[in-house]
Amino acid sequence: MKVASIQMVSGISLDVNLSEALRLLRQAASAGAELAVLPEYFCFMGVKDEDKLLLAETPGLGKVQDFLSDAARDLKMWVVGGTLPMATEDPSHAANASLAYNPRGECASRYDKIHLFRFDNGREHYDEATVLRAGETPTVFECRDHSGQDWRIGQTVCYDLRFGELYRMLAADILLVPSAFTHTTGQAHWEVLLRARAIENQAFVIASAQGGVHENGRRTWGHSMVISPWGEVMAMHAEGPGVVLADLDIERLRSVREQLPSLQHRRL
């Protein structure tokens, strides 16, 4: 199955971000991708944390959800909308949700980010919990490719990457990691953590990232990539908008799991 990891440098205009996302999704579809993953906060990177609350949508109703549904249906591929803010019963907090749409434009899965980012090195300070509510449920969905092969896909987001126990629970063939890693933390830990998650879970990893200097002044690390179950970086895009393409081979997955048997996997 050909997959696409999409990198963006999202700004403060929802319409501009959606237009750029569609351009990149079309590029992925034209290259034959059956599954495309947008980065965390693909639709909006505001000036203040509270800005995202203004865009929070309810399930099945909202401009960003309509966009994802239309794109998946029109391009006839699976589209995972990195993350978008979804309303909760508390108007001061939203869920940071990753939604997967099938080629019919139907929302097939929703994952709310469980681990919320907090970082303070004296120069940079982030605390997502000020406006976001943490999710509670590890989430997987099934995706059938054009050949008829079923793939078990595990959803995670950004800071989840540091918590290996979550990935073990997913027992997935493909792990998704839409992200907006800061330049500081990404430079130090991004690739090594992604490769570790691939190796220890014997799974492909699709990591789509924000990558560049944003309108709000924030700088993100980028380096969107696809990684094999052996821990090899199959393809990567360092900085700026772009599409990372890779072909995932189920036989490669089987081979790794046969060479290094694990109690986690018995389905292939």
Side-chain angles (χ1 to χ4, degrees):
M1 176 169 65
K2 179 165 284 189
V3 300
S5 173
I6 293 179
Q7 184 159 296
M8 297 179 64
V9 188
S10 299
I12 60 177
S13 168
L14 176 64
D15 289 339
V16 171
N17 294 329
L18 295 184
S19 177
E20 175 69 351
L22 182 58
R23 180 184 73 83
L24 294 167
L25 287 170
R26 284 173 172 164
Q27 184 177 330
S30 295
E34 298 179 53
L35 167 67
V37 185
L38 292 160
E40 184 180 29
Y41 301 130
F42 78 96
C43 59
F44 184 71
M45 292 278 279
V47 176
K48 307 186 302 295
D49 287 339
E50 293 78 8
D51 291 345
K52 61 175 64 72
L53 296 175
L54 302 175
L55 299 180
E57 299 184 354
T58 56
L61 181 65
K63 187 171 188 176
V64 180
Q65 292 171 86
D66 288 346
F67 165 82
L68 293 170
S69 175
D70 291 345
R73 184 182 61 254
D74 294 346
L75 297 174
K76 297 179 175 57
M77 67 178 180
W78 284 83
V79 174
V80 179
T83 66
L84 65 149
M86 296 289 284
T88 70
E89 66 278 1
D90 176 3
S92 66
H93 286 77
N96 194 18
S98 184
L99 305 182
Y101 286 79
N102 64 30
R104 295 184 298 277
E106 302 162 340
C107 184
S109 181
R110 169 181 168 175
Y111 167 68
D112 291 355
K113 184 179 181 181
I114 291 175
H115 300 98
L116 301 182
F117 181 52
R118 185 177 182 184
F119 176 67
D120 190 344
N121 65 357
R123 301 181 306 277
E124 301 169 85
H125 173 75
Y126 304 95
D127 188 356
E128 289 186 319
T130 59
V131 297
L132 295 179
R133 185 187 70 182
E136 298 178 347
T137 308
T139 304
V140 297
F141 65 92
E142 297 287 335
C143 169
R144 176 166 293 181
D145 66 23
H146 291 168
S147 73
Q149 175 64 50
D150 289 324
W151 299 80
R152 180 178 170 91
I153 300 181
Q155 293 183 262
T156 70
V157 173
C158 201
Y159 195 53
D160 284 333
L161 188 57
R162 298 181 180 274
F163 300 87
E165 63 273 16
L166 171 60
Y167 291 80
R168 298 296 285 179
M169 294 172 65
L170 298 174
D173 304 323
I174 302 171
L175 297 165
L176 307 184
V177 195
S179 301
F181 255 64
T182 70
H183 189 272
T184 301
T185 58
Q187 187 174 39
H189 301 143
W190 172 247
E191 183 176 328
V192 68
L193 284 172
L194 289 170
R195 295 179 70 189
R197 297 295 87 86
I199 294 166
E200 68 194 9
N201 293 285
Q202 299 175 333
F204 290 101
V205 172
I206 304 174
S208 52
Q210 297 282 352
V213 179
H214 301 261
E215 286 181 276
N216 61 9
R218 181 173 174 177
R219 186 181 182 189
T220 48
W221 176 240
H223 292 76
S224 295
M225 61 183 73
V226 180
I227 302 173
S228 80
W230 195 251
E232 306 150 315
V233 177
M234 301 172 66
M236 187 268 289
H237 181 78
E239 193 169 18
V243 177
V244 178
L245 296 163
D247 290 301
L248 308 192
D249 183 358
I250 197 70
E251 293 305 324
R252 175 59 171 156
L253 191 63
R254 289 191 174 108
S255 174
V256 170
R257 292 178 180 177
E258 288 171 357
Q259 293 173 55
L260 295 170
S262 168
L263 292 176
Q264 182 184 11
H265 301 290
R266 286 291 181 265
R267 61 189 304 276
L268 291 181

